[in-house]
């Protein structure tokens, strides 16, 4: 066995679970490292506290003087809790998180020193961020961008650093990150949803989006991970034969790893809780070594920050336990991939979940309004929602018979389907007293009951209603979920704006009562949105055909999906909702396309190196052994050796065939890559998706054949069964 593989596997045998302090009380550690309202009360003056709270709730500006007070309070709390540095923490368009650490420590000209953190250092920073992709925005206008404090997400201490959540914008105020458009979309949704919910409650003056994500991931032993250049470089295995045992892992195997994994999970839980992430850990073993972690839902901006932070914490804690976390959507071929389900709803400042039915017909009418408007928004913007989850990694997952298809559809369950059918028959204009009674009794009156048994959740649906929220399941496990959430908030905001306008016009013009007008508009929406509703098996071929008939898009790769950002109507949608102007959207498109291109290019490079430097040399080595065997047999008996050497000769031959196939394909791949250099970004991305990526699978087919033929002792790369099953 190759030395690297041998050492790696050997190391895993000596692993012991780390001892973790058991959690005394959740309440004692929860948000211990977060500068939340409770700490603010202790460290800020009354005026400063009031200002921060109104900045959080109403987006009010914080003036200089108050910022100084807040910074001082924050610094005192941070230093008392072990922080030595501070950083503006932000999420560039690449989706990762970024930070630049500065020390509190400052030297005076006279040699004395102090620990300093001023209001302006809190409010605004200028990171040396020229290396962050910006889609050309800063190049054409101003050379620099800056980060600005987002008070709606509380500061926290990570390690010994005070992290201040910020937006990252150019000097012209244009978005260079994921948070800025997210905040704008939340604003748009707030305005639109508040206006609509005022039909039902006058006291509502703010609506927030709520998000509860479920994060899937794989764990691999750190030593084994390090023995796989493809995992290190690309986050997934580019070659490797699926083990005979694949998905049907028995509990026995799982049991043997669980002690170490449990220690990791407990540690992760403690750290997350301290940072204010309200996790409730779980481990569901769909695939071997695959797990899931989900928190209780929170306000969407905070939930997005918490998910980004969690992905980082996971990596750090995993290393402590000699694991590597794989967040890639498809780290292993032939084994389930990972996603990030996004449970989404809207909630009023008075605590009402707008997607939750209630006890009164009026509450249920309100539910129907938000429910149907969301469905219509998805119907009208399905291609855009598809684009929001597009990435090189997720391309492996979507439509791969195990994950939501690349076709967006909405699942609502049998009972709600029936309710919508009845609503569809509401008559035009004024409703008769009889019809009103019927609606009250049979539709809006019945909803709470029907939802009780709305448990037949269709796991194949990418966008499913699950009782009091929608669950967007097609998001990739490694994605910054701010991106899909921005699009979802935006399309629902726009839809609710339109709805309000239509209802108001009908009330005015046709002199209808409010609920009559609402029923009239909803009726039309249901008719217009029928094509997006699908209750069947989303993984089936039949659905693909049916979806074409319904005019739903089914874009199979990222470059194709992202094209929707160039659509005139889409540009207008982003602009009118205030989420992104044309230039910002153009930058977003370009950066996402660049990211895709870069990732696939890296994969191509790693794959060709792996095959030429690892696979083929191993194959040749084994051939040499076989040649020795054949020669030996010939030495014994020149007459009959051909019969004796039949099998070694056959294997020799087969290996030769596979080697030539692999080298030929890799040569072709390298040539194709060279030719890309002259192409523009769009052409490059398209060629990578349609011509070059399919070649990967071809190459893999032959290398995986070789893996099965070559002596296990010689094979250089850690195998699937070793990575997935060894403790
Ligand atoms: P499942 O795995 O069955 O889909 P989970 O209980 O694991 O369900 O996850 C459900 C997620 O949905 C949790 O994060 C939960 O907090 C979240 N959730 C529940 N209600 C809402 C809501 N109103 N808005 C957003 N998320 C919600
Ligand atoms: Mg779920």
């Amino acid at each position: 066995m190759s030395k690297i593989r041998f050492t790696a596997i050997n190391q895993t045998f000596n692993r012991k679970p780390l001892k973790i302090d058991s959690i005394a009380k959740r309440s004692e550690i929860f948000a211990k490292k977060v500068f939340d309202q409770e700490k603010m009360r202790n460290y800020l003056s009354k005026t400063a506290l009031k200002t921060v709270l109104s900045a959080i709730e109403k987006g009010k500006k914080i003036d200089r003087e108050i910022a100084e007070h807040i910074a001082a309070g924050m610094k005192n709390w941070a230093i008392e809790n072990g922080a030595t540095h501070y950083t503006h923490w932000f999420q560039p368009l690449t989706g990762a998180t970024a930070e630049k650490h500065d020390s509190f420590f400052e030297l005076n000209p006279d040699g004395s020193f102090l620990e300093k953190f001023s209001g302006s250092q809190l409010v605004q920073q200028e990171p040396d961020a020229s290396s962050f992709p910006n889609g050309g925005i800063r190049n054409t206008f101003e050379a620099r961008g800056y980060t600005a404090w987002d008070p709606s997400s509380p500061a926290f201490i990570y390690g010994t650093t005070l992290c201040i959540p910020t937006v990252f914008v150019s000097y012209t105020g244009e978005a260079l990150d994921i948070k800025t458009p997210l905040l704008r979309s939340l604003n748009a949704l707030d305005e639109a949803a508040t206006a609509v919910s005022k039909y039902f409650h006058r006291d509502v003056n703010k609506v927030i989006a709520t998000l509860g994500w479920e994060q899937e991931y794989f764990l691999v032993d750190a030593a084994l991970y390090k023995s796989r250049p493809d995992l290190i470089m690309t986050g997934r295995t580019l070659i490797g034969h699926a083990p005979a045992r694949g998905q049907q892992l028995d509990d026995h195997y799982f049991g043997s790893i669980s002690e170490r994994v449990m220690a990791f999970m407990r540690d992760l839980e403690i750290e997350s809780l301290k940072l204010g992430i309200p996790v409730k850990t779980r481990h569901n073993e769909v695939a071997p070594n695959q797990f899931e972690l989900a928190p209780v839902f929170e306000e969407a901006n905070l939930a997005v920050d918490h998910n980004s932070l969690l992905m980082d914490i996971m990596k750090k804690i995993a290393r402590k336990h000699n694991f590597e976390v794989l967040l890639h959507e498809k780290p292993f071929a032939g084994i389930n991939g990972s996603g990030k389900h996004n449970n989404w709803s809207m909630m009023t400042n008075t605590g009402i979940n707008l997607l939750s039915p209630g006890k009164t017909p009026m509450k249920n009418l309100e539910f129907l309004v938000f429910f149907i408007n969301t469905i219509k928004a998805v119907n009208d913007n399905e291609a855009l929602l598809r684009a929001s989850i597009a990435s090189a990694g997720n391309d492996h997952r979507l439509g791969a018979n195990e994950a939501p298809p690349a076709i967006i559809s909405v699942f609502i369950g049998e009972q709600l389907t029936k309710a919508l059918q009845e609503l569809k028959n509401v008559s035009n204009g004024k409703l008769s007293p009889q019809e009103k009674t019927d609606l009250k009794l049979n539709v809006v009156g019945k909803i709470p009951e029907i939802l009780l048994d709305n448990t037949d959740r269709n796991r194949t649906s990418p966008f499913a209603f699950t009782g009091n929220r929608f669950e967007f399941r097609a998001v990739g496990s490694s994605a910054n979920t701010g991106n899909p959430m921005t699009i979802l908030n935006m399309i629902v905001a726009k839809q609710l704006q339109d709805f309000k306008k239509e209802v108001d016009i009908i009330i005015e013009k046709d002199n209808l009562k409010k609920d009559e007008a609402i029923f009239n508009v909803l009726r039309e929406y249901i008719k217009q949105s029928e094509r997006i509703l699908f209750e069947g098996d989303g993984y089936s071929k039949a659905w693909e055909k049916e979806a074409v008939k319904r005019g739903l898009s089914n874009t199979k790769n990222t470059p194709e999906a992202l094209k929707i950002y160039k659509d005139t109507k889409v540009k207008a949608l982003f602009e009118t909702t205030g989420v992104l102007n044309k230039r910002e959207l153009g930058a977003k498109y370009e950066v996402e396309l660049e990211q895709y291109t870069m990732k696939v290019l890296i994969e191509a490079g790693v794959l060709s190196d792996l095959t030429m430097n690892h696979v083929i040399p191993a194959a040749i080595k084994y051939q040499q052994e076989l040649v020795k065997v054949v020669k030996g047999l010939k030495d014994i008996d020149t007459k009959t050796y051909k019969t004796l050497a039949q099998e070694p000769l056959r294997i020799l031959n087969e290996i030769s065939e596979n080697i030539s196939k692999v080298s030929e394909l890799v040569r072709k791949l390298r040539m194709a890559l060279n030719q890309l250099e002259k192409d523009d970004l769009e052409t490059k991305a398209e060629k990578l998706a349609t011509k070059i990526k399919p070649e990967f699978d071809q190459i893999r087919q032959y290398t995986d054949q070789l893996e099965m033929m070559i002596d296990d002792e010689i094979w250089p790369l850690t195998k699937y069964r070793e990575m997935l099953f060894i403790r």
Side-chain angles (χ1 to χ4, degrees):
M1 194 179 299
S2 77
K3 215 159 84 200
I4 296 177
R5 182 170 158 224
F6 179 78
T7 327
I9 294 171
N10 227 9
Q11 272 183 31
T12 66
F13 283 111
N14 303 319
R15 302 271 198 235
K16 298 237 159 42
L18 291 191
K19 249 185 99 102
I20 303 302
D21 298 336
S22 56
I23 305 176
K25 258 195 201 145
R26 261 174 170 255
S27 55
E28 273 168 24
I29 57 168
F30 186 70
K32 212 175 150 197
K33 298 184 183 176
V34 183
F35 195 59
D36 56 11
Q37 286 192 25
E38 192 197 314
K39 276 91 168 188
M40 284 186 207
R41 223 160 289 171
N42 290 334
Y43 287 84
L44 299 184
S45 68
K46 275 216 174 88
T47 344
L49 176 67
K50 229 173 97 191
T51 315
V52 181
L53 293 185
S54 78
I56 297 170
E57 274 149 33
K58 304 182 195 94
K60 286 239 167 77
K61 260 198 133 86
I62 295 175
D63 69 41
R64 235 159 215 286
E65 203 183 321
I66 300 278
E68 290 299 340
H69 288 298
I70 300 169
M74 205 186 264
K75 183 198 73 184
N76 289 342
W77 168 76
I79 289 174
E80 275 173 36
N81 285 279
T84 53
H85 289 67
Y86 68 92
T87 184
H88 273 196
W89 185 78
F90 62 103
Q91 303 170 50
L93 286 171
T94 54
T97 54
E99 54 213 52
K100 176 191 166 234
H101 296 220
D102 283 306
S103 171
F104 288 124
F105 182 86
E106 241 166 69
L107 209 55
N108 288 329
D110 65 1
S112 66
F113 57 83
L114 77 171
E115 266 152 343
K116 200 178 156 229
F117 180 55
S118 69
S120 58
Q121 282 164 317
L122 164 68
V123 173
Q124 191 166 315
Q125 286 277 304
E126 212 178 286
D128 173 26
S130 50
S131 54
F132 292 107
N134 53 58
I137 282 188
R138 278 179 294 140
N139 299 347
T140 40
F141 267 61
E142 279 277 352
R144 292 177 315 222
Y146 66 93
T147 52
W149 180 31
D150 165 22
S152 63
S153 181
F156 53 92
I157 298 172
Y158 192 31
T160 53
T161 303
L162 170 68
C163 296
I164 298 147
T166 56
V167 295
F168 179 35
V169 289
S170 74
Y171 265 85
T172 49
E174 284 168 313
L176 296 170
D177 68 348
I178 290 184
K179 193 192 260 276
T180 307
L182 175 65
L183 290 173
R184 291 173 182 165
S185 77
L186 287 165
N187 252 337
L189 184 68
D190 173 16
E191 260 176 45
T194 302
V196 171
S197 70
K198 275 196 196 291
Y199 283 142
F200 305 94
H201 322 267
R202 290 218 187 88
D203 55 341
V204 168
N205 52 39
K206 188 175 168 78
V207 171
I208 57 165
T210 52
L211 165 63
W213 39 263
E214 301 164 51
Q215 177 72 51
E216 289 184 328
Y217 62 97
F218 278 87
L219 283 180
V220 172
D221 185 273
L224 302 176
Y225 171 88
K226 285 191 197 105
S227 72
R228 292 281 314 209
D230 47 356
L231 274 185
I232 297 175
M233 304 289 291
T234 72
R236 73 177 180 111
T237 54
L238 297 172
I239 59 179
H241 197 271
R245 238 195 154 96
Q247 303 276 43
Q248 321 86 320
L249 167 78
D250 67 29
D251 292 334
H252 191 69
Y253 259 111
F254 186 71
S256 73
I257 61 161
S258 69
E259 225 184 309
R260 256 180 89 202
V261 173
M262 284 311 289
F264 157 77
M265 283 179 168
R266 260 198 314 275
D267 209 3
L268 175 61
E269 187 175 351
I270 294 171
E271 190 58 27
S272 304
L273 287 171
K274 283 183 186 163
L275 285 160
I277 309 174
V279 295
K280 27 174 198 135
T281 26
R282 280 180 308 181
H283 50 112
N284 55 340
E285 53 285 359
V286 183
N289 286 15
Q290 191 188 31
F291 308 96
E292 185 186 287
L293 185 144
V296 178
F297 72 89
E298 302 174 282
E299 187 279 321
N301 174 41
L302 188 58
V304 167
D305 278 358
H306 278 168
N307 182 248
S308 296
L309 180 59
L310 175 98
M311 292 195 283
D312 203 68
I313 301 172
M314 278 176 121
K315 288 184 194 153
K316 291 205 168 97
I317 302 278
R319 287 189 190 132
K320 209 168 115 190
H321 289 257
N322 288 307
F323 283 123
E324 268 310 317
V325 165
L326 307 181
L327 290 171
H328 195 281
E329 283 74 12
K330 190 77 183 169
F332 304 101
I335 285 169
N336 264 8
S338 302
K340 175 151 39 209
H341 293 180
N342 280 228
N343 296 270
W344 175 92
S345 188
M346 293 162 275
M347 189 188 271
T348 65
N349 62 312
T350 53
I352 299 165
N353 176 353
L354 293 170
L355 286 174
S356 174
K359 290 205 176 70
T360 63
M362 210 48 180
K363 171 64 189 128
N364 288 333
L365 181 58
E366 180 188 57
F367 159 71
L368 284 170
V369 163
F370 286 94
F371 178 66
I372 294 169
N373 272 291
T374 306
I375 295 173
K376 172 124 191 324
V378 175
N379 178 74
D380 295 356
N381 300 283
E382 45 92 27
L384 192 54
L385 218 47
R386 162 68 182 96
S388 78
I389 49 160
S391 71
N394 220 11
D395 280 0
H396 292 278
R397 186 171 156 260
L398 298 181
N401 289 330
E402 48 152 280
I407 309 158
I408 300 290
S409 65
V410 181
F411 169 86
I412 58 172
E414 200 185 318
Q415 309 294 336
L416 281 167
T417 305
K418 263 195 211 134
L420 295 198
Q421 283 307 320
E422 290 194 40
L423 277 177
K424 213 171 79 178
N425 297 322
V426 168
S427 46
N428 247 330
K430 272 201 179 337
L431 308 181
S432 69
Q434 181 59 41
E435 196 174 4
K436 277 190 174 177
T437 313
D438 281 353
L439 277 172
K440 206 168 180 172
L441 288 179
N442 296 326
V443 186
V444 287
K446 270 197 175 164
I447 285 169
E449 294 167 49
I450 60 185
L451 281 191
L452 281 180
D453 47 51
N454 192 47
T455 44
D456 58 327
R457 303 203 202 155
N458 182 336
R459 286 278 154 189
T460 66
S461 176
F463 201 92
F465 185 70
T466 50
N468 60 2
R469 60 193 187 263
F470 279 100
E471 184 169 342
F472 190 14
R473 301 203 182 106
V475 182
S477 48
S478 71
N480 183 317
T481 190
N483 200 11
M485 287 302 104
T486 298
I487 306 274
L488 183 56
N489 296 332
M490 175 183 76
I491 62 178
V492 175
K494 175 66 169 61
Q495 180 52 49
L496 288 170
Q497 280 173 14
D498 292 348
F499 171 77
K500 176 89 173 36
K501 266 185 224 144
E502 283 182 63
V503 171
D504 287 348
I505 287 173
I506 296 184
I507 293 175
E508 177 97 344
K509 205 180 74 203
D510 302 346
N511 199 17
L512 294 190
K513 288 231 165 62
K514 184 180 67 193
D515 48 349
E516 280 175 333
I518 290 175
F519 276 123
N520 269 278
V521 175
L522 291 185
R523 179 192 60 230
E524 294 311 305
Y525 283 1
I526 294 168
K527 288 188 198 159
Q528 289 157 14
S529 311
E530 278 182 319
R531 66 165 190 163
I532 202 75
L533 297 174
F534 179 64
E535 302 284 303
D537 177 3
Y539 300 173
S540 68
K541 280 275 160 242
W543 169 231
E544 272 198 57
K545 279 197 196 133
E546 168 70 19
V548 175
K549 271 195 223 145
R550 295 191 189 186
L552 295 173
S553 56
N554 183 10
T555 46
K556 297 277 188 186
N557 63 57
T558 297
E560 196 188 337
L562 294 181
K563 283 209 175 104
I564 191 76
Y565 291 138
K566 302 206 300 181
D567 184 281
T568 324
K569 274 203 210 121
V570 166
K571 285 184 192 165
L573 172 62
F574 273 94
E575 194 129 51
T576 54
T577 49
V579 172
L580 290 175
N581 68 28
K582 287 198 184 75
R583 266 162 47 84
E584 291 171 320
L585 183 61
K588 174 182 166 65
Y589 172 63
E590 200 174 297
V591 170
E592 286 178 20
L593 211 54
E594 253 168 22
Q595 287 284 308
Y596 174 85
T597 309
M598 219 167 62
K599 287 202 172 131
V600 182
L601 278 175
I602 292 173
E603 289 188 350
V606 173
L607 179 62
S608 72
D609 289 354
L610 263 189
T611 48
M612 300 316 277
N613 304 338
H614 290 74
V615 175
I616 291 184
I620 292 175
K621 211 187 245 171
Y622 187 44
Q623 279 186 318
Q624 286 165 345
E625 303 234 331
L626 289 169
V627 169
K628 261 192 241 157
V629 172
V630 175
K631 267 193 183 153
L633 289 170
K634 201 173 170 184
D635 284 347
I636 297 170
D637 186 342
T638 40
K639 271 188 212 129
T640 60
Y641 93 93
K642 273 202 175 139
T643 344
L644 289 175
Q646 212 172 11
E647 200 50 28
L649 282 170
R650 196 189 57 75
I651 301 177
L652 255 174
N653 227 342
E654 226 174 289
I655 292 180
S656 296
E657 275 167 23
N658 276 295
I659 291 180
S660 16
K661 279 278 190 323
V662 173
S663 343
E664 189 192 315
L665 284 168
V666 172
R667 258 198 309 278
K668 236 176 82 188
L669 176 70
R670 285 181 170 168
M671 235 146 66
L673 290 174
N674 279 340
Q675 278 164 4
L676 285 182
E677 270 163 30
K678 57 183 187 325
D679 290 324
D680 61 30
L681 182 60
E682 277 183 341
T683 322
K684 209 186 271 181
E686 197 198 314
K687 279 189 188 163
L688 283 167
T690 58
K691 300 221 162 64
I692 292 180
K693 227 175 160 189
E695 292 281 311
F696 295 2
D697 294 333
Q698 291 259 336
I699 295 174
R700 177 177 200 147
Q701 208 186 313
Y702 296 109
T703 57
D704 289 359
Q705 287 286 337
L706 284 169
E707 181 183 326
M708 284 204 295
M709 265 185 277
I710 289 169
D711 184 358
D712 188 61
E713 293 286 308
I714 293 174
W715 190 255
L717 294 163
T718 307
K719 292 184 173 179
Y720 269 31
R721 65 174 149 81
E722 292 155 345
M723 275 186 286
L724 289 167
F725 300 115
I726 274 184
R727 57 164 275 124

